[in-house]
């Protein structure tokens, strides 16, 4: 597993095809040079329609292109859904699963998310699995119990599978799009807990990243957090200059 710091741009539904193609045209070379920076890996998750275009444009570069979600099913009569295999065939090499916006919108259980993760692995991509607690769960002291059940469902689903590295994105739901971030010591406690739990049950390599209000103002506060190996960046990734600034400020 690489020790590079991974910066994933999660564009969500913010860039329709025309804008995504424009972004690609304007920032193609700069995105590639960002991805060549020492100890950095760059990834972009556009919407499904944009995926193929981006995967082709960045095909011969180190920039990873991936989807924001995939179906919990492998194939079949599931109108409107997109399979992990189709995403992989379009040239993606990773897929985010279990984002809190998807968990909420599609009422996904931890087992559904684990199944989607298996589909991603089966389609030869690397999964980025999101976990995290809501404000309510946190105020009821349920954070660790909740994270345990989210993580244990993944560990159970990985039993007997090859050692495909898993990227776990810790995203407290209350930090997404709000400008509020957890304290470094809270993130650190959660990472230690997650890593310990993971290593107790599986030898599958784990990469821990953080997401939720990562931008050029907050990024410095994440420096020095043990076990932190990257970021899932939403609104901070929409403008190239801001995304580049986040990478530079963290890496300098
Ligand atoms: P945000 O989103 O950076 O806009 O808070 C992060 C995410 O939801 O992945």
């Amino acid at each position: 597993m690489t020790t590079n710091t991974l910066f994933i741009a999660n564009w969500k539904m913010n860039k329709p095809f025309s804008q995504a193609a424009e972004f690609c045209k304007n920032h193609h070379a700069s995105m590639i040079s960002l991805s060549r920076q020492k100890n950095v890996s760059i990834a972009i998750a556009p919407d499904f329609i944009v995926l193929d275009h981006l995967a082709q444009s960045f095909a011969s570069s180190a920039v990873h292109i991936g989807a924001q979600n995939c179906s919990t099913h492998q194939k079949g009569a599931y109108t409107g859904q997109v399979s992990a295999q189709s995403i992989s065939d379009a040239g993606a090499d990773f897929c985010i699963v279990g984002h809190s916006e998807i968990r909420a919108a599609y009422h996904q259980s931890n087992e559904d998310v684990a199944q989607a993760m298996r589909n991603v692995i089966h389609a030869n991509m690397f999964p980025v699995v999101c976990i995290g607690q809501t404000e309510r769960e946190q105020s009821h002291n349920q954070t660790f119990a909740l994270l345990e059940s989210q993580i244990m469902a993944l560990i159970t689903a990985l039993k007997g599978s090859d050692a495909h590295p898993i990227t776990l994105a810790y995203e407290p739901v209350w930090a997404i799009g709000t400008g509020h971030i957890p304290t470094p010591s809270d993130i650190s406690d959660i990472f230690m807990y997650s890593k310990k739990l993971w290593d107790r049950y599986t030898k599958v390599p784990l990469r821990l990243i953080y997401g939720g209000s990562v931008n050029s103002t907050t990024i410095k506060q994440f420096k020095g957090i043990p076990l932190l190996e990257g970021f899932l960046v939403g609104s901070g990734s929409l403008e190239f200059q801001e995304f580049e600034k986040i990478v530079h400020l963290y890496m300098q």
Side-chain angles (χ1 to χ4, degrees):
M1 168 147 285
T2 164
T3 54
N4 283 357
T5 303
L6 174 65
F7 293 86
I8 306 176
N10 177 12
W11 284 354
K12 307 194 180 183
M13 207 178 72
N14 288 305
K15 283 191 195 296
F17 191 92
S18 51
Q19 285 178 24
E22 177 89 1
F23 180 99
C24 194
K25 199 168 98 205
N26 294 341
H27 306 297
H28 191 260
S30 325
M31 208 41 128
I32 291 176
S33 67
L34 197 59
S35 74
R36 289 197 181 129
Q37 206 180 300
K38 200 161 173 263
N39 301 327
V40 164
S41 289
I42 297 293
I44 311 174
D47 74 30
F48 287 131
I49 303 293
V50 178
L51 201 56
D52 177 66
H53 178 73
L54 246 62
Q56 283 190 37
S57 332
F58 288 103
S60 52
S61 79
V63 177
H64 301 280
I65 303 297
Q68 299 168 10
N69 184 37
C70 71
S71 177
T72 55
H73 304 285
Q74 284 200 353
K75 146 176 225 196
Y78 301 102
T79 303
Q81 299 199 27
V82 179
S83 69
Q85 190 57 53
S86 189
I87 292 164
S88 170
D89 288 353
D93 66 352
F94 77 96
C95 183
I96 301 169
V97 297
H99 192 284
S100 56
E101 287 155 13
I102 302 272
R103 286 184 191 249
Y106 298 97
H107 308 290
Q108 285 187 342
S109 66
N110 292 333
E111 288 67 34
D112 292 334
V113 173
Q115 185 55 50
M117 174 192 71
R118 278 167 62 100
N119 296 348
V120 173
I121 294 170
H122 192 250
N124 284 318
M125 297 183 290
F126 74 87
V128 175
V129 189
C130 301
I131 58 169
Q133 79 284 14
T134 61
E135 187 156 33
R136 189 171 187 279
E137 286 155 351
Q138 180 163 317
S139 64
H140 284 73
N141 292 324
Q142 292 165 342
T143 301
F144 287 96
L146 183 100
L147 293 175
E148 180 176 344
S149 56
Q150 291 178 333
I151 293 171
M152 285 311 295
L154 305 176
I155 292 171
T156 306
L158 285 169
K159 281 224 170 83
S161 81
D162 295 328
H164 288 277
I166 303 295
T167 300
L168 206 56
Y170 170 58
E171 298 205 309
V173 180
W174 54 263
I176 297 174
T178 59
H180 301 302
I181 57 168
T183 64
S185 87
D186 282 347
I187 299 174
S188 174
D189 286 351
I190 278 162
F191 278 8
M192 304 273 200
Y193 174 83
S194 305
K195 174 93 176 105
K196 212 168 147 197
L197 183 65
W198 191 269
D199 289 347
R200 192 185 309 154
Y201 294 103
T202 178
K203 296 208 167 351
V204 173
L206 180 70
R207 167 166 56 192
L208 288 163
I209 69 172
Y210 169 84
S213 294
V214 174
N215 55 45
S216 60
T217 310
T218 59
I219 188 68
K220 284 197 173 165
Q221 298 178 53
F222 300 103
K223 282 194 182 193
I225 296 178
L227 302 173
L228 175 61
E229 290 187 85
F231 299 93
L232 187 52
V233 188
S235 54
S237 72
L238 297 176
E239 299 294 334
F240 177 76
Q241 285 74 9
E242 171 70 359
F243 188 57
E244 184 184 44
K245 205 167 163 193
I246 291 169
V247 175
H248 285 159
L249 285 173
Y250 187 75
M251 299 306 293
Q252 75 190 7

